[in-house]
Amino acid sequence: MTSTTDRRGIVVGIDPVKNWHLALAWAADEAHLRGTGLRLVVAVPPRHDTQHVDDTPRHVAQSQAGAEALRTALAWARARRPGIDATSALLDGFPAPSLGALSNEAGLIVLGSRHLSRPEEFLSAGSMVVPVTAKAHCPVVVVGDAEHVTQETPYLVVGVDGSESSRAALAWAFEEADLRRCALRAIAVWQPPVFSLHSGDTLFSAERRLLSETTAGWAEKYPDVRLTHEVRIGSPVETLAGAGEHALAVVVGRRGRGGYSGMRVGSVVHGLLHRAHCPVVTVPAG
C-alpha cells in the first residue's frame, strides 16, 4: 500500500503555556500506528533588540520555558509509547511560520487547540491553528477534544463535495480507517438552492450518485474498510460536527476557494475548528 503521507514523520507543536497532553497523545499514538518518527517542537519568537526596548530577558525566559516543556513532553511521549522514534527541537522564530515551514517535509502536523474565540485567533500572537491550517503543505490535525475510542464501532467522518481537496481528504481518510481498522462515514451535505429548474429529488439523487462515484475506487482499494454513504440536507458545519460527535476524527479538504474551504481556511473548516468535539483533520489539495 502506498501511503498518502509517504510515511514521513509527524511534527507536533508543544505549547509551553497550555496543556499539550491531548495533542501529544494523539501524535504519539499516530506515529506508533504508522511506524514514523515523531518530532516535538517549540518555536520562540525572535528577540527584538532596539535602542528603545531590549526584550532579551523575556526571550531568555521564553527559551528556558520552551526547553523545559520539550524535555517534559519528550519523556512523556516516550513513556506513553516505549520505543517510539521521538526527538525535539527548540526553534527560533514565530510559531505559525515555523510550523508552516516544517510542513514542507512532514507527513502530518499536529496542534492542540486553545479554544480561542475568533477575534482572539487573529489577534493572539500565540495562535497557530488558523494560519498553519491555512498554509500547511501537509495534512494538519487540530486536537481540541479527545477522539472517541470508546464507541462500540469506532469510525471516522469525511466530508465529500466532489472537489480535488475533498478527494485528497477521502484518500487520507481511507488510509487512516484502514490503519485503525475502523469504519468510515462519507458524508455529502446538500443545501437546496432557492431557485432551480430541477426538482429537489433530482438534485438529491445527483448528490448521492456523485458521492458513490467519488468513493468507488477507494472502496475497492481498501475492501476491509466498512464504508457508508450519507447525503444530508442542512449546514455543512453543523452536519459534519454532529456526525463527528462520537467519531475518532472529522476529515475535510482545504483548497483555495469554495467547497469545504472558502476564503482562507474556509467557512466550513473554520467552523469545524470551533464546533467539532473531536480531532479535525484538514487535508490540502494536491
Side-chain angles (χ1 to χ4, degrees):
M1 179 184 69
T2 301
S3 169
T4 57
T5 56
D6 298 325
R7 288 288 182 261
R8 291 179 291 173
I10 295 174
V11 173
V12 55
I14 300 298
D15 187 339
V17 178
K18 297 293 182 178
N19 192 316
W20 40 257
H21 290 81
L22 273 181
L24 182 53
W26 197 99
D29 291 348
E30 188 73 8
H32 173 76
L33 182 67
R34 291 178 174 267
T36 64
L38 177 65
R39 189 182 188 192
L40 287 62
V41 300
V42 170
V44 178
R47 180 171 57 88
H48 297 287
D49 187 3
T50 69
Q51 59 181 344
H52 300 295
V53 178
D54 183 359
D55 68 348
T56 299
R58 183 175 66 89
H59 183 266
V60 171
Q62 289 179 329
S63 297
Q64 292 174 340
E68 179 58 31
L70 283 175
R71 282 192 292 270
T72 303
L74 186 60
W76 189 87
R78 288 172 172 169
R80 180 179 178 88
R81 289 295 183 181
I84 193 173
D85 178 17
T87 60
S88 65
L90 186 68
L91 308 178
D92 186 21
F94 291 102
S98 297
L99 268 293
L102 291 176
S103 74
N104 287 302
E105 302 298 330
L108 200 63
I109 297 286
V110 181
L111 302 173
S113 173
R114 291 186 178 187
H115 295 291
L116 300 178
S117 66
R118 293 194 181 218
E120 287 174 327
E121 272 185 347
F122 293 104
L123 297 176
S124 171
S127 176
M128 294 189 293
V129 169
V130 170
V132 174
T133 299
K135 297 182 179 181
H137 297 282
C138 69
V140 176
V141 185
V142 177
V143 186
D145 291 277
E147 59 188 18
H148 302 283
V149 296
T150 57
Q151 283 297 107
E152 184 175 344
T153 302
Y155 66 92
L156 293 168
V157 171
V158 58
V160 179
D161 66 1
S163 67
E164 182 184 352
S165 61
S166 79
R167 293 177 189 275
L170 189 64
W172 194 95
F174 261 106
E175 180 189 12
E176 186 73 3
D178 187 59
L179 285 170
R180 290 176 176 257
R181 299 293 185 263
C182 70
L184 179 61
R185 294 173 62 183
I187 299 178
V189 184
W190 180 56
Q191 291 183 296
V194 178
F195 301 103
S196 175
L197 298 177
H198 303 281
S199 68
D201 289 344
T202 299
L203 294 173
F204 193 86
S205 297
E207 288 285 341
R208 186 174 293 280
R209 184 169 59 256
L210 173 64
L211 183 58
S212 296
E213 292 173 351
T214 302
T215 59
W218 292 107
E220 293 175 2
K221 183 176 181 179
Y222 296 99
D224 294 333
V225 174
R226 178 185 170 189
L227 173 69
T228 59
H229 303 89
E230 303 172 42
V231 177
R232 302 282 193 88
I233 299 176
S235 158
V237 172
E238 295 301 319
T239 300
L240 292 174
E245 187 172 356
H246 299 291
L248 296 175
V250 172
V251 186
V252 289
R254 190 209 78 212
R255 55 179 176 168
R257 297 178 181 178
Y260 291 153
S261 54
M263 296 183 297
R264 297 187 180 180
V265 295
S267 58
V268 173
V269 173
H270 203 164
L272 284 173
L273 292 175
H274 288 274
R275 175 71 176 80
H277 293 289
C278 67
V280 176
V281 185
T282 306
V283 183

